[in-house]
């Protein structure tokens, strides 16, 4: 395996043509599909429609590459990850524009996703694969090591198609596995191009990509010759993945949907927190697994908070993410647009009070635009409180009693993230510890870093990614007993 890394950094990448990446090469398919720019509804470039032949070839290449890759020095793998991150940043501008075109997010948000995609590679490269010494005496040595699994399939959703991809690639290859990425058919472009770029830094077969339609995911998860599926997406699909993986006891990590509560205590700086909350609910048009999705505001500050948040939200531009001063791009696809409309219809039918928004946005452009919408204290059993809209619609909920608000925040199948906001940090931390969520934030929300573990409680997932525990998820344990 060659030791030269990043030999062709300066080479141009063609951001208008897209292929599968199999065994180090760009591979076309007979038939193609394409994504749609959600701001204009224009068809984007053709991408491969993979068949069983492509799957067979990618898995065979991964299995062959694994024999050598698993034995490479960890330091060598880390250098390659860092070089890949540099490569991504060299092409930041092209990736960010492509991301806005395929996903819809504003250019500034796309740029920060490219930065984060690189950061998830370099951050992962800071981690070490653990070795645990269980017993060490003059006569006995017992150690638990973590050894790679083999071929990983990484299934990526459409909301953060680049950052969630490197969040799988980094840990998988650092631990000595080979990975095949399957991007979402709604947003295949940045993923395919990033894996094409990765070929400059990794040997053939270590990092590959297959694009396809809705049938590709189930075909991949049903294979007996893969060893792990790392899936990020909806809870409904996650259940299907788990069912399919059970046939061959394929390892799984499931990062699924959320319905994050934020509890706002009466002692906060109302103006500042209300403005922050607007950003945390409506970033990426609400299409973030850890966006704030239920905002519980203490009754003493409820009206003031509502007014401040509405004012902030009404200052947001909605439109094509390539235009200046746009904070909310379109919803990413028609399915999701229809889903968000169902929430708006339900709010209307149930005669809930809307403080701002409440409808789709009529613009000159034809895209999937929705007005950012705040619902005023709907009932706890309403659709907008119980379910994840995954769009720019959020309920404000009034609370009075601390124990009761903790119970209401926990009354959900989801358990991804939760936050508490107060000027009394210790008190907020005590409330936070009562919350059933994999990530709990005090006076912040959505904080994630590549070196800290991220995982959902309840229906928000099984296993988790990132941090040292994330690395463990890509490994088998091997306990070695030495009789000295
Ligand atoms: P989705 O479940 O529809 O699709 C996710 C991926 O799975 C796509 O690549 C899709 O093509 C593929 N897929 C679809 N059916 C499949 C099947 N039967 N077997 C295997 N793969 C299949 O999710 P989405 O709509 O792309 O993403 C939105 C959801 O993802 C939201 O619920 C959001 O909360 C969740 N999400 C979770 C996290 C997290 O880290 N927990 C992060 C981002 C998004």
């Amino acid at each position: 395996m060659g030791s030269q890394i990043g030999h062709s950094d300066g080479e141009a990448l063609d951001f208008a043509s897209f292929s599968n990446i199999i065994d180090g090469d760009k591979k076309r398919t007979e038939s193609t599909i394409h994504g749609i720019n959600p701001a204009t509804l224009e068809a984007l470039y053709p991408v491969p429609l993979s068949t069983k032949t492509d799957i067979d070839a990618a898995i065979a290449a991964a299995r062959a590459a694994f024999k050598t890759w698993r034995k490479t020095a960890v330091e060598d793998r880390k250098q390659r990850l860092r070089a890949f991150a540099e490569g991504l940043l060299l092409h930041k501008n092209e990736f960010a524009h492509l991301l806005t075109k395929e996903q819809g997010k504003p250019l500034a948000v796309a740029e920060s996703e490219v930065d984060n995609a690189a950061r998830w590679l370099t951050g992962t490269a800071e981690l070490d694969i653990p070795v645990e010494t269980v017993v060490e005496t003059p006569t006995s040595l017992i150690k638990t090591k973590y050894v790679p699994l083999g071929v990983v399939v990484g299934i990526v959703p459409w909301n953060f198609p680049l950052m969630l991809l490197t969040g799988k690639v980094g840990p998988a290859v650092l631990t000595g596995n080979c990975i095949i990425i399957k991007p979402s058919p709604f947003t295949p472009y940045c993923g395919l191009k990033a894996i094409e770029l990765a070929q400059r830094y990794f040997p053939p077969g270590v990092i590959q990509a297959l694009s396809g339609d809705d049938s590709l995911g189930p075909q991949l998860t049903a294979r007996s010759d893969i060893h792990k599926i790392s899936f990020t997406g909806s809870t409904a699909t996650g259940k299907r993945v788990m069912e399919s993986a059970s046939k061959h006891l394929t390892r799984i990590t499931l990062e699924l949907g959320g319905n994050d509560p934020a509890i706002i205590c009466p002692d906060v700086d109302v103006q500042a927190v209300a403005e922050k909350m607007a950003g945390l609910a409506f970033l990426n048009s609400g299409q973030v697994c850890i966006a704030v999705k239920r905002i519980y505001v203490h009754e003493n500050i409820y009206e003031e908070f509502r007014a401040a948040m509405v004012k902030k939200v009404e200052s947001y531009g909605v439109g094509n993410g390539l235009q200046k001063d746009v904070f909310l791009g379109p919803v990413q696809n028609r399915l999701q647009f229809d889903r968000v409309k169902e929430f708006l219809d339900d709010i209307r039918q149930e005669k809930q009070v809307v403080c701002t928004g409440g409808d789709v946005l009529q613009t000159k452009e034809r895209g999937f635009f929705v007005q950012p919408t705040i619902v005023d204290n709907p009932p706890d059993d309403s659709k907008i409180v119980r379910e994840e809209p995954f769009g720019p619609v959020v309920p404000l909920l009034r609370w009075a009693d601390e124990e009761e608000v903790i119970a209401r925040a926990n009354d959900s199948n989801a358990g991804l993230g939760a936050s508490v906001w107060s000027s009394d940090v210790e008190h907020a931390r005590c409330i936070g510890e009562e919350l059933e969520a994999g990530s709990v934030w005090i006076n912040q929300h959505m904080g994630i870093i590549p070196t800290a573990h991220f995982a959902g409680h309840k229906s928000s997932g099984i296993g988790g990614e990132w941090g040292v525990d994330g690395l463990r998820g890509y490994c088998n344990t091997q306990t070695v007993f030495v009789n000295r």
Side-chain angles (χ1 to χ4, degrees):
M1 201 161 280
S3 61
Q4 200 181 11
I5 299 173
H7 45 86
S8 50
D9 272 344
E11 222 176 80
L13 273 183
D14 179 0
F15 278 80
S17 107
F18 300 85
S19 310
N20 281 337
I21 304 298
I22 300 175
D23 205 12
D25 288 328
K26 290 187 258 181
K27 288 272 164 51
R28 305 266 166 150
T29 53
E30 216 168 277
S31 307
T32 56
I33 51 174
H34 63 81
I36 283 171
N37 180 334
T40 60
L41 306 194
E42 283 162 357
L44 294 172
Y45 319 96
V47 289
L49 177 62
S50 299
T51 61
K52 182 172 178 299
T53 313
D54 305 301
I55 298 174
D56 288 344
I59 294 178
R63 290 177 75 95
F66 179 63
K67 290 183 187 145
T68 321
W69 181 247
R70 67 195 292 265
K71 293 184 186 154
T72 51
V74 173
E75 201 41 54
D76 176 53
R77 297 177 203 156
K78 289 185 177 184
Q79 274 184 39
R80 290 174 192 273
L81 285 174
R82 290 189 192 106
F84 180 22
E86 273 177 38
L88 279 174
L89 293 176
L90 270 178
H91 295 279
K92 176 172 167 177
N93 196 26
E94 293 126 300
F95 272 112
H97 275 83
L98 183 62
L99 188 51
T100 295
K101 271 210 255 179
E102 69 171 319
Q103 206 285 332
K105 63 187 63 187
L107 192 56
V109 182
E111 284 167 352
S112 99
E113 182 171 346
V114 183
D115 286 337
N116 275 330
R119 194 170 142 230
W120 250 257
L121 296 171
T122 53
T124 302
E126 285 169 25
L127 297 170
D128 284 311
I129 306 168
V131 179
E132 287 156 22
T133 302
V134 185
V135 172
E136 190 167 16
T137 68
T139 55
S140 174
L141 179 66
I142 304 175
K143 282 189 179 202
T144 297
K145 295 192 303 177
Y146 290 83
V147 296
L149 294 166
V151 179
V152 176
V153 168
I155 300 181
V156 182
W158 48 256
N159 61 339
F160 288 89
L162 195 53
M163 180 254 158
L164 291 172
L165 175 148
T166 60
K168 295 184 190 301
V169 167
V173 303
L174 178 70
T175 45
N177 297 283
C178 297
I179 186 164
I180 301 168
I181 287 289
K182 191 207 85 64
S184 166
F186 292 117
T187 53
Y189 299 100
C190 283
L192 290 176
K193 200 48 66 182
I195 303 301
E196 182 184 327
L197 176 68
Q199 305 314 302
R200 297 179 181 182
Y201 313 105
F202 290 87
V206 174
I207 305 179
Q208 304 181 90
L210 292 176
S211 132
D213 62 11
D214 286 347
S215 68
L216 180 58
Q219 285 188 71
L220 284 166
T221 61
R223 296 287 296 226
S224 61
D225 46 1
I226 61 163
H227 305 93
K228 155 132 191 164
I229 302 155
S230 168
F231 171 83
T232 303
S234 64
T235 299
T237 311
K239 289 178 184 171
R240 277 179 225 127
V241 169
M242 188 165 179
E243 194 182 345
S244 176
S246 72
K247 307 267 183 339
H248 304 293
L249 294 180
T250 311
R251 272 63 175 154
I252 48 167
T253 297
L254 303 178
E255 294 281 13
L256 308 178
N259 196 1
D260 286 15
I263 298 177
I264 320 293
C265 297
D267 60 354
V268 295
D269 175 340
V270 175
Q271 188 70 31
V273 173
E275 289 188 8
K276 274 194 191 146
M277 209 47 59
L280 291 164
F282 293 111
L283 180 77
N284 210 33
S285 296
Q287 302 164 119
V288 186
C289 55
I290 44 172
V292 174
K293 296 189 178 120
R294 295 175 286 151
I295 308 175
Y296 293 93
V297 184
H298 191 270
E299 61 178 3
N300 290 358
I301 55 165
Y302 187 88
E303 278 77 20
E304 190 188 347
F305 187 98
R306 182 183 60 196
M309 188 170 163
V310 166
K311 188 165 174 221
K312 182 70 186 172
V313 169
E314 289 181 346
S315 75
Y316 286 155
V318 184
N320 187 325
L322 291 176
Q323 287 162 3
K324 267 196 171 162
D325 301 325
V326 163
F327 185 77
L328 282 96
V331 167
Q332 202 281 325
N333 57 70
R334 175 156 315 273
L335 221 76
Q336 194 56 32
F337 189 51
D338 289 344
R339 186 174 154 74
V340 172
K341 282 197 284 190
E342 277 176 29
F343 279 83
L344 296 175
D345 287 347
D346 185 76
I347 288 162
R348 226 170 282 127
Q349 273 160 24
E350 296 298 318
K351 303 203 172 18
Q352 290 160 14
V353 178
V354 167
C355 324
T356 185
D359 209 342
V360 299
L361 191 73
Q362 306 299 336
T363 61
K364 277 188 224 139
E365 296 201 67
R366 297 160 58 219
F368 303 129
F369 297 103
V370 178
Q371 298 171 350
T373 299
I374 300 176
V375 191
D376 192 3
N377 204 28
D380 280 355
D381 62 354
S382 57
K383 183 176 170 75
I384 188 61
V385 178
R386 303 300 304 169
E387 296 177 30
E388 179 192 36
F390 218 58
V393 188
V394 72
L396 282 187
L397 301 146
R398 191 187 280 264
W399 70 275
D401 177 78
E402 210 169 276
E403 261 183 46
E404 187 207 323
V405 76
I406 292 169
R408 289 165 73 196
N410 286 337
D411 182 20
S412 169
N413 288 335
L416 200 54
S419 62
V420 185
W421 299 70
S422 167
S423 48
D424 182 345
V425 172
E426 268 319 296
H427 184 61
R429 226 160 53 86
C430 290
I431 299 176
E433 281 170 12
E434 299 294 314
L435 298 175
E436 297 162 358
S439 297
V440 170
W441 299 284
I442 306 304
N443 293 327
Q444 58 164 313
H445 203 107
M446 265 192 218
I448 46 171
I449 56 170
T451 46
H453 196 50
F454 179 75
H457 292 193
K458 302 192 265 188
S459 294
S460 289
I462 289 198
E465 305 248 44
W466 315 331
V468 175
D469 267 349
L471 297 185
R472 286 190 176 100
Y474 286 95
C475 297
N476 275 320
T477 59
Q478 185 174 65
T479 301
V480 181
F481 295 74
V482 180
N483 183 350
R484 282 167 161 172

